Short mmCIF file of all heavy atoms in Angstrom, two decimals:
data_model
loop_
_atom_site.label_atom_id
_atom_site.label_comp_id
_atom_site.label_asym_id
_atom_site.label_seq_id
_atom_site.Cartn_x
_atom_site.Cartn_y
_atom_site.Cartn_z
N MET A 221 76.02 92.64 89.98
CA MET A 221 76.46 93.18 91.28
C MET A 221 77.88 92.70 91.57
O MET A 221 78.17 91.52 91.51
CB MET A 221 75.49 92.70 92.36
CG MET A 221 75.82 93.20 93.75
SD MET A 221 74.94 94.70 94.15
CE MET A 221 75.62 95.06 95.75
N CYS A 222 78.72 93.64 91.85
CA CYS A 222 80.12 93.32 92.13
C CYS A 222 80.31 93.20 93.63
O CYS A 222 80.03 94.12 94.37
CB CYS A 222 81.02 94.43 91.58
SG CYS A 222 82.74 94.25 92.03
N ASP A 223 80.76 92.04 94.08
CA ASP A 223 80.95 91.88 95.53
C ASP A 223 82.42 91.94 95.92
O ASP A 223 82.79 91.53 97.00
CB ASP A 223 80.28 90.60 96.03
CG ASP A 223 80.85 89.36 95.35
OD1 ASP A 223 81.70 89.52 94.46
OD2 ASP A 223 80.42 88.26 95.71
N GLU A 224 83.24 92.47 95.03
CA GLU A 224 84.65 92.64 95.36
C GLU A 224 84.81 93.78 96.36
O GLU A 224 84.16 94.80 96.24
CB GLU A 224 85.44 92.98 94.09
CG GLU A 224 86.70 92.17 93.94
CD GLU A 224 87.31 92.39 92.57
OE1 GLU A 224 88.06 93.37 92.45
OE2 GLU A 224 87.01 91.62 91.65
N LYS A 225 85.69 93.59 97.32
CA LYS A 225 85.91 94.62 98.33
C LYS A 225 86.96 95.62 97.84
O LYS A 225 87.87 95.26 97.09
CB LYS A 225 86.40 93.99 99.62
CG LYS A 225 85.39 93.07 100.28
CD LYS A 225 84.35 93.84 101.04
CE LYS A 225 83.48 92.89 101.86
NZ LYS A 225 82.48 93.60 102.64
N VAL A 226 86.82 96.84 98.29
CA VAL A 226 87.83 97.86 98.03
C VAL A 226 88.83 97.79 99.18
O VAL A 226 88.45 97.98 100.34
CB VAL A 226 87.19 99.26 97.97
CG1 VAL A 226 88.25 100.33 97.73
CG2 VAL A 226 86.12 99.31 96.89
N ASN A 227 90.07 97.46 98.86
CA ASN A 227 91.04 97.26 99.95
C ASN A 227 92.40 97.87 99.69
O ASN A 227 93.35 97.59 100.41
CB ASN A 227 91.19 95.77 100.27
CG ASN A 227 91.93 95.03 99.16
OD1 ASN A 227 92.15 95.57 98.08
ND2 ASN A 227 92.32 93.81 99.43
N ARG A 228 92.48 98.75 98.67
CA ARG A 228 93.80 99.32 98.37
C ARG A 228 93.68 100.61 97.58
O ARG A 228 92.65 100.87 96.96
CB ARG A 228 94.66 98.34 97.56
CG ARG A 228 94.09 98.05 96.17
CD ARG A 228 94.95 97.06 95.42
NE ARG A 228 95.01 95.80 96.12
CZ ARG A 228 96.17 95.18 96.42
NH1 ARG A 228 97.32 95.69 96.04
NH2 ARG A 228 96.15 94.04 97.08
N CYS A 229 94.76 101.39 97.62
CA CYS A 229 94.92 102.48 96.66
C CYS A 229 95.52 101.85 95.41
O CYS A 229 96.65 101.37 95.44
CB CYS A 229 95.86 103.56 97.21
SG CYS A 229 96.26 104.84 95.98
N GLU A 230 94.73 101.81 94.35
CA GLU A 230 95.19 101.17 93.11
C GLU A 230 96.35 101.95 92.50
O GLU A 230 97.24 101.38 91.90
CB GLU A 230 94.04 101.11 92.09
CG GLU A 230 92.83 100.32 92.54
CD GLU A 230 93.04 98.82 92.46
OE1 GLU A 230 94.07 98.39 91.93
OE2 GLU A 230 92.16 98.10 92.95
N CYS A 231 96.32 103.26 92.63
CA CYS A 231 97.31 104.10 91.93
C CYS A 231 98.72 103.88 92.47
O CYS A 231 99.68 103.91 91.70
CB CYS A 231 96.92 105.56 92.01
SG CYS A 231 95.39 105.90 91.11
N ILE A 232 98.88 103.68 93.75
CA ILE A 232 100.21 103.42 94.30
C ILE A 232 100.37 101.96 94.70
O ILE A 232 101.42 101.56 95.19
CB ILE A 232 100.53 104.33 95.51
CG1 ILE A 232 99.55 104.07 96.66
CG2 ILE A 232 100.53 105.79 95.10
CD1 ILE A 232 100.04 104.59 98.00
N ASN A 233 99.31 101.15 94.47
CA ASN A 233 99.34 99.72 94.78
C ASN A 233 99.75 99.44 96.22
O ASN A 233 100.64 98.64 96.49
CB ASN A 233 100.24 98.96 93.79
CG ASN A 233 100.00 97.47 93.85
OD1 ASN A 233 98.90 97.02 94.19
ND2 ASN A 233 101.02 96.68 93.55
N LYS A 234 99.08 100.13 97.13
CA LYS A 234 99.28 99.83 98.56
C LYS A 234 97.92 99.50 99.17
O LYS A 234 96.93 100.17 98.91
CB LYS A 234 99.89 101.03 99.28
CG LYS A 234 101.36 101.24 98.98
CD LYS A 234 102.13 101.53 100.25
CE LYS A 234 103.59 101.86 99.99
NZ LYS A 234 104.37 100.76 99.41
N THR A 235 97.91 98.45 99.99
CA THR A 235 96.66 98.06 100.62
C THR A 235 96.34 99.01 101.77
O THR A 235 97.23 99.67 102.33
CB THR A 235 96.74 96.63 101.18
OG1 THR A 235 97.73 96.60 102.21
CG2 THR A 235 97.09 95.63 100.09
N PHE A 236 95.06 99.04 102.13
CA PHE A 236 94.67 99.85 103.28
C PHE A 236 95.35 99.32 104.55
O PHE A 236 95.67 100.08 105.45
CB PHE A 236 93.15 99.87 103.44
CG PHE A 236 92.43 100.50 102.28
CD1 PHE A 236 91.12 100.17 101.99
CD2 PHE A 236 93.06 101.43 101.47
CE1 PHE A 236 90.44 100.76 100.93
CE2 PHE A 236 92.40 102.04 100.39
CZ PHE A 236 91.08 101.69 100.13
N ALA A 237 95.59 98.01 104.59
CA ALA A 237 96.29 97.43 105.74
C ALA A 237 97.70 98.02 105.84
O ALA A 237 98.19 98.31 106.94
CB ALA A 237 96.34 95.92 105.61
N GLN A 238 98.36 98.24 104.69
CA GLN A 238 99.69 98.85 104.71
C GLN A 238 99.59 100.33 105.11
O GLN A 238 100.41 100.82 105.89
CB GLN A 238 100.34 98.74 103.32
CG GLN A 238 100.76 97.33 102.97
CD GLN A 238 101.24 97.23 101.52
OE1 GLN A 238 100.50 97.52 100.59
NE2 GLN A 238 102.48 96.84 101.34
N LEU A 239 98.59 101.01 104.59
CA LEU A 239 98.45 102.45 104.87
C LEU A 239 98.08 102.69 106.33
O LEU A 239 98.36 103.75 106.89
CB LEU A 239 97.41 103.07 103.94
CG LEU A 239 97.80 103.03 102.45
CD1 LEU A 239 96.63 103.51 101.60
CD2 LEU A 239 99.03 103.88 102.19
N LYS A 240 97.47 101.70 106.95
CA LYS A 240 97.05 101.81 108.35
C LYS A 240 98.25 101.96 109.29
O LYS A 240 98.11 102.40 110.43
CB LYS A 240 96.25 100.55 108.69
CG LYS A 240 95.39 100.64 109.92
CD LYS A 240 94.62 99.34 110.08
CE LYS A 240 94.03 99.20 111.46
NZ LYS A 240 93.29 97.95 111.61
N GLU A 241 99.44 101.58 108.81
CA GLU A 241 100.65 101.73 109.63
C GLU A 241 100.95 103.19 109.95
O GLU A 241 101.65 103.49 110.91
CB GLU A 241 101.86 101.13 108.89
CG GLU A 241 101.71 99.65 108.55
CD GLU A 241 101.56 98.78 109.78
OE1 GLU A 241 102.30 98.98 110.75
OE2 GLU A 241 100.64 97.93 109.78
N PHE A 242 100.45 104.10 109.13
CA PHE A 242 100.71 105.52 109.37
C PHE A 242 99.73 106.06 110.42
O PHE A 242 98.69 105.45 110.68
CB PHE A 242 100.60 106.30 108.06
CG PHE A 242 101.65 105.89 107.06
CD1 PHE A 242 101.36 104.93 106.10
CD2 PHE A 242 102.93 106.42 107.12
CE1 PHE A 242 102.34 104.50 105.21
CE2 PHE A 242 103.91 105.99 106.22
CZ PHE A 242 103.62 105.05 105.26
N ALA A 243 100.07 107.20 111.00
CA ALA A 243 99.28 107.73 112.11
C ALA A 243 97.91 108.21 111.67
O ALA A 243 96.93 108.06 112.38
CB ALA A 243 100.05 108.87 112.79
N ASP A 244 97.85 108.78 110.47
CA ASP A 244 96.58 109.35 110.01
C ASP A 244 96.62 109.53 108.50
O ASP A 244 97.66 109.27 107.86
CB ASP A 244 96.29 110.69 110.71
CG ASP A 244 97.44 111.67 110.58
OD1 ASP A 244 98.17 111.62 109.58
OD2 ASP A 244 97.61 112.48 111.52
N PHE A 245 95.51 109.97 107.95
CA PHE A 245 95.40 110.11 106.50
C PHE A 245 96.49 111.04 105.95
O PHE A 245 97.12 110.74 104.94
CB PHE A 245 94.01 110.66 106.13
CG PHE A 245 93.86 110.95 104.66
CD1 PHE A 245 93.67 109.92 103.75
CD2 PHE A 245 93.94 112.25 104.19
CE1 PHE A 245 93.56 110.19 102.39
CE2 PHE A 245 93.82 112.52 102.83
CZ PHE A 245 93.62 111.49 101.93
N GLU A 246 96.69 112.16 106.63
CA GLU A 246 97.63 113.16 106.13
C GLU A 246 99.05 112.59 106.05
O GLU A 246 99.76 112.82 105.07
CB GLU A 246 97.61 114.41 107.01
CG GLU A 246 96.37 115.28 106.83
CD GLU A 246 95.10 114.67 107.42
OE1 GLU A 246 95.19 113.78 108.29
OE2 GLU A 246 94.01 115.07 106.99
N SER A 247 99.47 111.87 107.08
CA SER A 247 100.84 111.36 107.02
C SER A 247 100.94 110.20 106.04
O SER A 247 101.96 110.05 105.36
CB SER A 247 101.37 111.00 108.40
OG SER A 247 100.66 109.94 108.95
N ALA A 248 99.91 109.38 105.91
CA ALA A 248 99.93 108.32 104.90
C ALA A 248 100.06 108.93 103.51
O ALA A 248 100.85 108.46 102.68
CB ALA A 248 98.67 107.47 104.98
N GLN A 249 99.33 110.00 103.27
CA GLN A 249 99.38 110.65 101.95
C GLN A 249 100.75 111.29 101.72
O GLN A 249 101.32 111.17 100.64
CB GLN A 249 98.28 111.69 101.85
CG GLN A 249 98.20 112.31 100.47
CD GLN A 249 96.88 113.00 100.24
OE1 GLN A 249 96.61 114.05 100.81
NE2 GLN A 249 96.05 112.41 99.42
N ALA A 250 101.28 111.94 102.75
CA ALA A 250 102.57 112.60 102.61
C ALA A 250 103.69 111.59 102.34
O ALA A 250 104.59 111.84 101.54
CB ALA A 250 102.88 113.41 103.86
N LYS A 251 103.61 110.42 102.97
CA LYS A 251 104.69 109.44 102.85
C LYS A 251 104.55 108.55 101.61
O LYS A 251 105.55 108.08 101.08
CB LYS A 251 104.74 108.55 104.10
CG LYS A 251 105.03 109.32 105.38
CD LYS A 251 106.50 109.38 105.64
CE LYS A 251 106.89 110.32 106.78
NZ LYS A 251 106.04 110.25 107.98
N THR A 252 103.31 108.28 101.18
CA THR A 252 103.14 107.30 100.09
C THR A 252 102.55 107.91 98.82
O THR A 252 102.64 107.30 97.76
CB THR A 252 102.17 106.17 100.52
OG1 THR A 252 100.85 106.71 100.67
CG2 THR A 252 102.63 105.53 101.82
N GLY A 253 101.92 109.05 98.92
CA GLY A 253 101.24 109.62 97.75
C GLY A 253 99.86 109.02 97.53
O GLY A 253 99.24 109.28 96.49
N CYS A 254 99.36 108.26 98.50
CA CYS A 254 98.03 107.67 98.31
C CYS A 254 96.97 108.76 98.18
O CYS A 254 97.06 109.81 98.83
CB CYS A 254 97.68 106.73 99.46
SG CYS A 254 97.37 107.54 101.04
N GLY A 255 96.02 108.53 97.29
CA GLY A 255 94.91 109.47 97.14
C GLY A 255 95.21 110.69 96.31
O GLY A 255 94.38 111.58 96.19
N LEU A 256 96.39 110.76 95.71
CA LEU A 256 96.76 111.96 94.96
C LEU A 256 96.49 111.82 93.47
O LEU A 256 96.32 112.83 92.79
CB LEU A 256 98.24 112.29 95.17
CG LEU A 256 98.60 112.77 96.58
CD1 LEU A 256 100.11 112.97 96.69
CD2 LEU A 256 97.87 114.07 96.91
N GLU A 257 96.47 110.61 92.95
CA GLU A 257 96.32 110.46 91.50
C GLU A 257 94.86 110.54 91.07
O GLU A 257 94.39 111.60 90.69
CB GLU A 257 96.98 109.16 91.04
CG GLU A 257 98.35 109.46 90.43
CD GLU A 257 99.10 108.22 90.04
OE1 GLU A 257 98.71 107.61 89.04
OE2 GLU A 257 100.05 107.87 90.75
N CYS A 258 94.13 109.44 91.18
CA CYS A 258 92.72 109.49 90.74
C CYS A 258 91.82 109.98 91.88
O CYS A 258 90.68 110.37 91.63
CB CYS A 258 92.27 108.12 90.27
SG CYS A 258 91.91 106.96 91.60
N GLU A 259 92.30 109.93 93.09
CA GLU A 259 91.58 110.36 94.29
C GLU A 259 90.39 109.46 94.63
O GLU A 259 89.64 109.74 95.56
CB GLU A 259 91.12 111.82 94.18
CG GLU A 259 92.31 112.76 94.00
CD GLU A 259 91.90 114.23 93.90
OE1 GLU A 259 90.75 114.55 94.23
OE2 GLU A 259 92.77 115.04 93.52
N GLY A 260 90.22 108.38 93.88
CA GLY A 260 89.08 107.49 94.11
C GLY A 260 89.11 106.80 95.46
O GLY A 260 88.07 106.45 96.01
N CYS A 261 90.29 106.61 96.00
CA CYS A 261 90.41 105.88 97.26
C CYS A 261 90.26 106.78 98.48
O CYS A 261 90.20 106.28 99.61
CB CYS A 261 91.75 105.16 97.32
SG CYS A 261 93.15 106.32 97.37
N VAL A 262 90.24 108.10 98.29
CA VAL A 262 90.31 109.02 99.44
C VAL A 262 89.23 108.74 100.49
O VAL A 262 89.56 108.58 101.67
CB VAL A 262 90.29 110.49 98.97
CG1 VAL A 262 90.10 111.44 100.15
CG2 VAL A 262 91.58 110.82 98.23
N PRO A 263 87.94 108.64 100.11
CA PRO A 263 86.94 108.37 101.16
C PRO A 263 87.17 107.04 101.86
O PRO A 263 86.93 106.93 103.07
CB PRO A 263 85.61 108.36 100.40
CG PRO A 263 85.88 108.90 99.05
CD PRO A 263 87.35 108.80 98.80
N TYR A 264 87.66 106.05 101.13
CA TYR A 264 87.92 104.74 101.73
C TYR A 264 89.08 104.81 102.72
O TYR A 264 89.03 104.20 103.79
CB TYR A 264 88.23 103.69 100.64
CG TYR A 264 87.09 103.46 99.69
CD1 TYR A 264 86.99 104.19 98.51
CD2 TYR A 264 86.12 102.51 99.97
CE1 TYR A 264 85.94 103.99 97.63
CE2 TYR A 264 85.06 102.29 99.10
CZ TYR A 264 84.98 103.04 97.93
OH TYR A 264 83.93 102.84 97.06
N VAL A 265 90.13 105.53 102.35
CA VAL A 265 91.29 105.63 103.25
C VAL A 265 90.89 106.39 104.52
O VAL A 265 91.26 106.00 105.62
CB VAL A 265 92.48 106.32 102.55
CG1 VAL A 265 93.65 106.50 103.53
CG2 VAL A 265 92.95 105.50 101.35
N LYS A 266 90.10 107.43 104.36
CA LYS A 266 89.62 108.17 105.54
C LYS A 266 88.73 107.30 106.41
O LYS A 266 88.84 107.31 107.64
CB LYS A 266 88.89 109.43 105.10
CG LYS A 266 89.83 110.48 104.52
CD LYS A 266 89.10 111.74 104.13
CE LYS A 266 90.09 112.81 103.67
NZ LYS A 266 89.40 114.00 103.14
N LEU A 267 87.87 106.50 105.78
CA LEU A 267 87.00 105.60 106.53
C LEU A 267 87.84 104.52 107.23
O LEU A 267 87.53 104.12 108.36
CB LEU A 267 85.96 104.97 105.60
CG LEU A 267 84.91 104.05 106.22
CD1 LEU A 267 84.11 104.76 107.31
CD2 LEU A 267 83.97 103.51 105.13
N MET A 268 88.90 104.09 106.59
CA MET A 268 89.81 103.11 107.20
C MET A 268 90.41 103.69 108.48
O MET A 268 90.43 103.02 109.52
CB MET A 268 90.90 102.73 106.19
CG MET A 268 91.93 101.77 106.71
SD MET A 268 93.30 102.57 107.55
CE MET A 268 94.18 103.30 106.18
N PHE A 269 90.89 104.95 108.42
CA PHE A 269 91.47 105.54 109.63
C PHE A 269 90.40 105.77 110.69
O PHE A 269 90.69 105.70 111.89
CB PHE A 269 92.21 106.84 109.30
CG PHE A 269 93.60 106.59 108.77
CD1 PHE A 269 93.93 106.87 107.46
CD2 PHE A 269 94.58 106.05 109.60
CE1 PHE A 269 95.21 106.63 106.97
CE2 PHE A 269 95.86 105.80 109.12
CZ PHE A 269 96.18 106.09 107.80
N ALA A 270 89.17 106.02 110.29
CA ALA A 270 88.10 106.25 111.27
C ALA A 270 87.64 104.96 111.94
O ALA A 270 87.27 104.97 113.11
CB ALA A 270 86.92 106.94 110.59
N THR A 271 87.68 103.85 111.20
CA THR A 271 87.09 102.61 111.71
C THR A 271 88.12 101.53 112.03
O THR A 271 87.80 100.59 112.77
CB THR A 271 86.12 102.01 110.68
OG1 THR A 271 86.87 101.65 109.51
CG2 THR A 271 85.02 102.99 110.31
N GLY A 272 89.30 101.59 111.43
CA GLY A 272 90.28 100.53 111.58
C GLY A 272 90.05 99.35 110.65
O GLY A 272 90.86 98.43 110.61
N GLU A 273 88.96 99.38 109.88
CA GLU A 273 88.70 98.30 108.92
C GLU A 273 89.56 98.53 107.68
O GLU A 273 89.91 99.66 107.36
CB GLU A 273 87.22 98.31 108.53
CG GLU A 273 86.30 97.98 109.70
CD GLU A 273 84.84 98.31 109.38
OE1 GLU A 273 84.41 98.06 108.25
OE2 GLU A 273 84.15 98.84 110.28
N THR A 274 89.87 97.42 106.97
CA THR A 274 90.79 97.57 105.84
C THR A 274 90.21 97.06 104.52
O THR A 274 90.92 96.97 103.53
CB THR A 274 92.11 96.83 106.12
OG1 THR A 274 91.81 95.47 106.46
CG2 THR A 274 92.88 97.49 107.25
N ALA A 275 88.92 96.73 104.49
CA ALA A 275 88.26 96.34 103.24
C ALA A 275 86.80 96.79 103.33
O ALA A 275 86.17 96.62 104.38
CB ALA A 275 88.34 94.84 103.03
N PHE A 276 86.31 97.36 102.24
CA PHE A 276 84.98 97.97 102.26
C PHE A 276 84.18 97.59 101.02
O PHE A 276 84.74 97.40 99.94
CB PHE A 276 85.11 99.50 102.30
CG PHE A 276 85.91 100.00 103.46
CD1 PHE A 276 87.25 100.31 103.30
CD2 PHE A 276 85.35 100.10 104.72
CE1 PHE A 276 88.01 100.75 104.38
CE2 PHE A 276 86.10 100.54 105.81
CZ PHE A 276 87.43 100.87 105.63
N ASP A 277 82.85 97.55 101.19
CA ASP A 277 81.99 97.47 100.02
C ASP A 277 82.17 98.74 99.23
O ASP A 277 82.35 99.82 99.79
CB ASP A 277 80.52 97.34 100.45
CG ASP A 277 80.23 96.01 101.12
OD1 ASP A 277 80.94 95.02 100.81
OD2 ASP A 277 79.29 95.96 101.93
N ILE A 278 82.08 98.60 97.90
CA ILE A 278 82.32 99.77 97.04
C ILE A 278 81.30 100.88 97.32
O ILE A 278 81.59 102.06 97.15
CB ILE A 278 82.33 99.35 95.56
CG1 ILE A 278 82.95 100.44 94.70
CG2 ILE A 278 80.95 98.94 95.08
CD1 ILE A 278 83.48 99.96 93.38
N ASP A 279 80.10 100.49 97.79
CA ASP A 279 79.05 101.48 98.06
C ASP A 279 78.73 101.54 99.56
O ASP A 279 77.59 101.79 99.95
CB ASP A 279 77.81 101.14 97.25
CG ASP A 279 77.26 99.76 97.59
OD1 ASP A 279 77.96 98.99 98.31
OD2 ASP A 279 76.16 99.42 97.12
N ASP A 280 79.73 101.34 100.38
CA ASP A 280 79.53 101.42 101.83
C ASP A 280 78.85 102.75 102.18
O ASP A 280 79.36 103.82 101.83
CB ASP A 280 80.90 101.33 102.53
CG ASP A 280 80.78 101.17 104.04
OD1 ASP A 280 80.00 101.94 104.66
OD2 ASP A 280 81.45 100.28 104.59
N PRO A 281 77.71 102.71 102.83
CA PRO A 281 76.97 103.95 103.11
C PRO A 281 77.73 104.92 104.00
O PRO A 281 77.48 106.12 103.97
CB PRO A 281 75.68 103.47 103.80
CG PRO A 281 75.95 102.07 104.23
CD PRO A 281 76.99 101.52 103.31
N ARG A 282 78.69 104.42 104.76
CA ARG A 282 79.46 105.32 105.62
C ARG A 282 80.38 106.23 104.84
O ARG A 282 80.87 107.23 105.36
CB ARG A 282 80.29 104.49 106.62
CG ARG A 282 79.42 103.67 107.57
CD ARG A 282 80.26 102.73 108.39
NE ARG A 282 80.92 101.72 107.54
CZ ARG A 282 81.82 100.85 107.98
NH1 ARG A 282 82.15 100.83 109.26
NH2 ARG A 282 82.37 99.99 107.15
N LEU A 283 80.63 105.92 103.56
CA LEU A 283 81.53 106.74 102.75
C LEU A 283 80.99 108.16 102.55
O LEU A 283 81.77 109.09 102.33
CB LEU A 283 81.75 106.09 101.37
CG LEU A 283 82.52 104.77 101.41
CD1 LEU A 283 82.34 104.05 100.09
CD2 LEU A 283 83.98 105.01 101.70
N ALA A 284 79.68 108.32 102.65
CA ALA A 284 79.07 109.63 102.42
C ALA A 284 79.67 110.69 103.33
O ALA A 284 79.77 111.86 102.96
CB ALA A 284 77.57 109.53 102.62
N ALA A 285 80.09 110.29 104.51
CA ALA A 285 80.65 111.24 105.47
C ALA A 285 82.08 111.66 105.12
O ALA A 285 82.61 112.59 105.71
CB ALA A 285 80.61 110.64 106.87
N TYR A 286 82.69 110.98 104.14
CA TYR A 286 84.12 111.21 103.86
C TYR A 286 84.36 111.62 102.41
O TYR A 286 85.46 111.50 101.92
CB TYR A 286 84.93 109.96 104.19
CG TYR A 286 84.84 109.59 105.65
CD1 TYR A 286 83.92 108.63 106.08
CD2 TYR A 286 85.63 110.23 106.59
CE1 TYR A 286 83.80 108.32 107.43
CE2 TYR A 286 85.52 109.92 107.94
CZ TYR A 286 84.60 108.97 108.35
OH TYR A 286 84.49 108.66 109.67
N GLN A 287 83.33 112.10 101.74
CA GLN A 287 83.50 112.51 100.33
C GLN A 287 84.30 113.79 100.21
O GLN A 287 84.26 114.62 101.06
CB GLN A 287 82.14 112.71 99.66
CG GLN A 287 81.31 111.45 99.60
CD GLN A 287 81.93 110.32 98.79
OE1 GLN A 287 82.67 110.59 97.84
NE2 GLN A 287 81.67 109.09 99.15
S1 FES B 597 93.21 104.68 93.98
FE1 FES B 597 94.24 105.94 95.36
S2 FES B 597 94.76 107.69 94.18
FE2 FES B 597 93.84 106.37 92.78
#
């Protein structure tokens, strides 16, 4: 069991805390390119904007709403 938290877009190497500076997912993506490469972080970034949290369990059940 991996207890490491998901806290960044690995592809552009920006933390969710850094991406939180933008107004919303769309502007964060437009300005940084987050979520465009592997797209693996997209549900996490959306959940970050919805909740304000910046680190998540890899299998956070709330992610289902943001797939
Ligand atoms: S981790 Fe964000 S696009 Fe790959």
